[in-house]
Each structure stands twice: as structure tokens, then as C-alpha cells.
Amino acid sequence: AQSVTQPDIHITVSEGASLELRCNYSYGATPYLFWYVQSPGQGLQLLLKYFSGDTLVQGIKGFEAEFKRSQSSFNLRKPSVHWSDAAEYFCAVGAITGGFKTIFGAGTRLFVKA
Amino acid sequence: EPEVTQTPSHQVTQMGQEVILRCVPISNHLYFYWYRQILGQKVEFLVSFYNNEISEKSEIFDDQFSVERPDGSNFTLKIRSTKLEDSAMYFCASYIGTASSYEQYFGPGTRLTVT
């Protein structure tokens, strides 16, 4: 069965420091992978997506993610975090079965300290 | 840019009442979805809908839930007799249906509070 694991429930980084959020997926075929960000009480904003091709994908707000098939990972990175990046981050995989649903990880809450 | 819209943004209802959450998917999309997010938890798939019928549903989507596309633009989620545990944010999503662009577009959500 398809699944997504985000091993870190929460992470705290200093403003200006680099960030890496981990994501591992379980999926039998070539995965369609996504990262979403959610501020408290708000909806889901798509940061970036991977369908095929270059394994390093660029997204909005200075985020990037790298697909590593051998590690079943799709980690999200940002070289310099801003206080406004504090939010919940969800990794997700698109399941190309029946209804093409999206399966979300449990999320990682990012705290940014001054 | 086209977007998915949802109404209302916040719905408060009493336990046992019926609620209908409404969504307008992107006009040329073929697949429609409902997801649920209980406060502080992850987003969970409820149901997918294609060609005027349910294509997949989760264990959460029991007989209390139903979906409908009553006209060419709206997509609704009905909860027949709400329970306290139905309190959550409900997201609608749509997908164009082509393999070249597998991406679901999410609406802003409806926060359902059951008292």
C-alpha cells in the first residue's frame, strides 16, 4: 500500500539557517510527489512537485526538493529560512490507482527562532 | 489562474443535523475529491468522483457521507447526521485527468464545527 512518512514531527531552526525536511514514500511505481505548506487555519499551498525528469525540482518561496529513488526519499530544502516560513509542511504522493487520490504524510511543523 | 472554490468557509451545526458542503471545481477538470483534516492531524482522503460516480472511497467514507454533482459546476459533500468527530476542515480538490499533469488543485477548505 502507498504511504508517506515524515519522521520529524517538528523542527526548530534559526532564521537564516538552512533547512531540510525529510520525506520517505512507499509506492510500487514511479511516484508523483508533492510538498505542500499550510499556515495555521489556512488551506494547502503547493510548494513544488515531481513527476519525472530532473530529480532536483525547484519550487516557490526558494524551496527545492530532491527525488532519490534508491532511498525512496523526497526531502525538502531551503538554504536560508525566513521567519515567515514557520508553518506545517506536508509531503504527499499521488496514487495512480482507481481514483488518483493523494496520500499525505503526517506533516512536520517548522518553528523559526530569531 | 483558475481555482477551486468552496462554500461556506465555516459551518457550525448541531450534532445529528445534516450538512452540505459545496465546491466548484475547475471547469475542465474531470476528477473531483473530498479530503478531511481533523485539527492538528494530517489530511485524509475521503472520496474520489469521476464520470458521475464514485471511483474510490476510504474507510472513513461510510453511509453517513454522500457526494453529488448536481449540475455542471458544483460538487457537494453531504453528511447525513453529523457527529462530534466530524468536526474538521474539509478540502475539495479537482484534477484535469491527464497523465501529463498529475496535480490536484485544492480549494481553501470548509471548517465544519459540530456542537
Side-chain angles (χ1 to χ4, degrees), chain A residues 38 49 51 99-100 102, chain B residues 33 35 37 56 102-104:
Chain A
Q38 184 181 39
K49 60 193 177 190
F51 294 161
F100 296 89
T102 299
Chain B
Y33 308 83
Y35 293 82
Q37 184 183 33
E56 188 173 356
Y102 178 75
E103 180 183 342
Q104 293 180 10

Side-chain angles (χ1 to χ4, degrees), chain A residues 4 32 34 36 38 41-44 46 49 51 90 93-107, chain B residues 31 33 35 37 40-45 48 55-56 89 91 95 99-109 111:
Chain A
V4 178
Y32 295 78
F34 308 88
Y36 290 88
Q38 184 181 39
Q42 302 299 308
L44 299 163
L46 180 67
K49 60 193 177 190
F51 294 161
F90 292 97
V93 63
I96 311 303
T97 57
F100 296 89
K101 66 187 178 190
T102 299
I103 299 165
F104 288 82
Chain B
Y31 288 81
Y33 308 83
Y35 293 82
Q37 184 183 33
Q41 298 187 22
K42 69 176 180 181
V43 179
E44 301 172 290
F45 167 76
S48 59
S55 52
E56 188 173 356
M89 180 78 93
F91 293 105
Y95 158 52
S100 62
S101 176
Y102 178 75
E103 180 183 342
Q104 293 180 10
Y105 290 77
F106 285 82
R111 179 164 298 285

Side-chain angles (χ1 to χ4, degrees), chain B residues 33-52:
Chain B
Y33 308 83
W34 284 101
Y35 293 82
R36 179 183 81 175
Q37 184 183 33
I38 295 172
L39 186 64
Q41 298 187 22
K42 69 176 180 181
V43 179
E44 301 172 290
F45 167 76
L46 289 179
V47 64
S48 59
F49 191 85
Y50 170 72
N51 200 25
N52 281 321

